[in-house]
């Protein structure tokens, strides 16, 4: 007689090795590199490009001198902006480190990087708000964006958000199907 198979189902151990083999690991440093580029452009836009675009014909020294004469310190914003940018890069590197140790699935690693890039738009807005208001109050101009770079930053963040949603749709569909079958 052949033994009857057990009716108790034991799930197989969860291993992402096959997924990592299929996806490869070459792309992992791309996330932190993109976030670092985004953060660098964000800081340079806030401290250099926006003031120069807001006040064409003036040098950066003249703009910062006028801001200082009005009581606004640009030097005080630099550590905050650098720390703010480093936070995003740190989150990206942390996600990459977790992924390199294969603690998450490849699509989760990509989702983490996309989420950090998507959060770049609110980070830019929050980081640039003070400088924009200082420029507006000092020179009696509008406080909005004046250079061509901020729309690009917003587009990159928006694209990352769309990609994040698109990447998560199959996962959500699978979970809904499982719940429907169970219940």
């Amino acid at each position: 007689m052949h033994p009857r198979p057990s009716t108790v189902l034991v799930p197989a151990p969860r291993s992402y090795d096959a997924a990592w083999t299929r996806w490869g690991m070459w792309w992992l440093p791309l996330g932190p590199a993109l976030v670092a580029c985004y953060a660098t452009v964000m800081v340079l836009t806030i401290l250099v490009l926006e003031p120069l675009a807001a006040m064409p014909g003036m040098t950066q020294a003249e703009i910062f001198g006028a801001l200082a004469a009005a009581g606004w310190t640009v030097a005080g914003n630099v550590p905050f902006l650098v720390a703010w940018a480093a936070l995003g890069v740190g989150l990206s590197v942390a996600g990459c480190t977790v992924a390199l140790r294969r603690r998450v699935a490849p699509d989760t690693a990509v989702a983490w990087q996309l989420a950090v890039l998507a959060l770049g738009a609110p980070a830019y807005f929050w980081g640039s708000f003070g400088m924009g208001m200082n420029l507006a109050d000092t020179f009696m101009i509008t406080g909005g964006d004046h250079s061509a770079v901020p729309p690009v930053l917003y587009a990159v963040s928006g694209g990352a958000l769309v990609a994040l949603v698109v990447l998560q749709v199959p996962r959500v569909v699978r979970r809904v199907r499982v719940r429907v079958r169970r219940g």
Side-chain angles (χ1 to χ4, degrees), residues 30-43 85 88-90 92-93 116-117:
L30 186 63
L34 288 174
V35 172
C37 286
Y38 189 103
T40 302
V41 170
M42 178 183 78
V43 171
V89 175
S92 180
V93 168
V116 173
L117 274 175

Side-chain angles (χ1 to χ4, degrees), residues 13-25 27 102 104-107:
R14 206 167 171 179
S15 171
Y16 296 119
D17 287 338
W20 279 109
T21 301
R22 186 172 56 249
W23 280 61
M25 293 177 64
W27 56 269
R102 296 185 181 189
V104 297
D107 60 339

Side-chain angles (χ1 to χ4, degrees), residues 31-144:
L34 288 174
V35 172
C37 286
Y38 189 103
T40 302
V41 170
M42 178 183 78
V43 171
L44 288 176
T45 300
I46 294 169
L47 294 175
V48 179
L49 299 177
E50 278 298 310
L52 292 174
M55 296 307 300
M58 292 181 77
T59 66
Q60 188 174 9
E62 292 171 337
I63 295 169
F64 288 176
L67 287 170
W72 311 113
T73 61
V74 176
N77 290 339
V78 174
F80 164 75
L81 290 173
V82 170
W84 191 235
L87 175 65
V89 175
L91 287 172
S92 180
V93 168
C96 186
T97 302
V98 169
L100 281 171
R101 294 184 180 172
R102 296 185 181 189
R103 305 256 188 228
V104 297
D107 60 339
T108 303
V110 171
W112 181 267
Q113 300 302 321
L114 290 172
V116 173
L117 274 175
L119 289 172
Y124 170 76
F125 179 79
W126 193 46
S128 68
F129 190 81
M131 179 64 89
M133 289 303 294
N134 294 346
L135 288 169
D137 291 345
T138 302
F139 296 106
M140 300 301 166
I141 58 173
T142 62

